[in-house]
Amino acid sequence: MAYFWVKSLHLLFVVAWLASVFYLPRILLNINECAGQPTVQERLVLMGKRLYRFGHVMFGFAFIFGVTLWLHFGMKGGWLHAKLLLVALLFAYFIATGVMLKKSAVGDKLMSTTALRWYNELPILLALGAIYLVIAKPF
Ligand code: HEM
């Protein structure tokens, strides 16, 4: 019974964290498209900082329940190591996006809108890989 509650909570916080991972780069895209409108950009930066903080809290809880599934319920296998590698890349992506947001807040130029659109798609591929590995457990 506890296993299913821990896994449900793990997935709840994973979904909340992924929502912030997917949405934060879109705020950067909007900041880029609002060049010359400082008040709009300020509002977007504020939204981004709040989303970034929220994302870190959600990741913390997803991690605690994930490690509980791993160590307390004895999940193991190559799939878990490969999944955690993709999760680490997703986390690095989230940190890099946060650094870009903070740089744009002090007036640094962001990458081009086209580059940002491609950058936006990266976490979808990483998340799909992590979800497939944990559900199919192929190795
Ligand atoms: C933060 C570090 C994470 C750790 C340590 C972790 C660890 C785990 C473990 C041990 C399980 C149990 C597997 C089972 O019961 O069959 C699990 C389930 C799951 N995890 Fe994670 N996970 C983490 C992050 C994530 C992320 C970021 C995603 C999505 C991209 C994710 C998606 C899932 C899914 C979908 C399940 C349910 C699999 C099933 O029911 O078969 N996890 N996780």
Side-chain angles (χ1 to χ4, degrees), residues 17-42:
W17 178 59
L18 286 179
S20 49
V21 173
F22 292 156
Y23 200 67
L24 193 61
R26 279 167 178 74
I27 290 184
L28 294 185
L29 205 60
N30 282 282
I31 291 172
N32 238 10
E33 288 170 352
C34 293
Q37 303 172 64
T39 45
V40 179
Q41 287 188 321
E42 264 167 43

Side-chain angles (χ1 to χ4, degrees), residues 3 7 10-11 14 66 69-70 75 83-84 87 134 137:
Y3 166 73
K7 193 189 274 192
H10 175 60
L11 289 184
V14 163
L69 288 164
W70 176 11
M75 288 289 150
K83 176 192 170 192
L84 292 180
V87 171
V134 70
K137 300 180 174 64

Side-chain angles (χ1 to χ4, degrees), residues 24-90:
L24 193 61
R26 279 167 178 74
I27 290 184
L28 294 185
L29 205 60
N30 282 282
I31 291 172
N32 238 10
E33 288 170 352
C34 293
Q37 303 172 64
T39 45
V40 179
Q41 287 188 321
E42 264 167 43
R43 169 54 63 178
L44 287 166
V45 166
L46 181 63
M47 281 172 64
K49 285 184 176 168
R50 287 176 177 163
L51 182 64
Y52 189 56
R53 255 197 317 274
F54 167 81
H56 277 291
V57 175
M58 294 301 108
F59 181 82
F61 285 118
F63 184 79
I64 290 167
F65 291 112
V67 169
T68 307
L69 288 164
W70 176 11
L71 303 179
H72 180 69
F73 290 100
M75 288 289 150
K76 55 182 177 297
W79 62 269
L80 184 56
H81 300 129
K83 176 192 170 192
L84 292 180
L85 174 66
L86 294 181
V87 171
L89 290 174
L90 268 169

